[in-house]
Amino acid sequence: MSTPDPAPKRRDLKSKTIAALAVGVLLIAFGLSNRNDVPIDWLIGTTDTPLIIVIVVSALQGPLETSGLT
């Protein structure tokens, strides 16, 4: 018979929350400092997109690919 996993420590949750907020703030600051449009090459053509959109999509895509959802 196995024992149930202990509940996560409050300190662990707090440190993960602080780290997530720090990454979010850095992402926003980096995105706001890069407001230029950049060309995005697709299979059919090219579009100009604000760099903030490219940064946010890339930041969201990384965890999704890491977790295997895409």
Side-chain angles (χ1 to χ4, degrees):
M1 186 157 52
S2 65
T3 59
D5 292 335
K9 294 181 181 177
R10 190 166 180 87
R11 190 174 82 190
D12 291 342
L13 183 61
K14 185 176 179 181
S15 62
K16 288 180 182 180
T17 303
I18 291 171
L21 288 173
V23 168
V25 168
L26 288 174
L27 181 65
I28 290 170
F30 186 69
L32 290 176
S33 67
N34 293 297
R35 295 189 199 181
N36 300 338
D37 284 353
V38 293
I40 304 294
D41 293 322
W42 302 96
L43 293 175
I44 298 172
T46 301
T47 59
D48 288 331
T49 305
L51 187 56
I52 182 71
I53 301 298
V54 176
I55 291 170
V56 169
V57 169
S58 299
L60 294 175
Q61 187 177 5
L64 289 176
E65 288 186 12
T66 302
S67 66
L69 295 177
T70 58

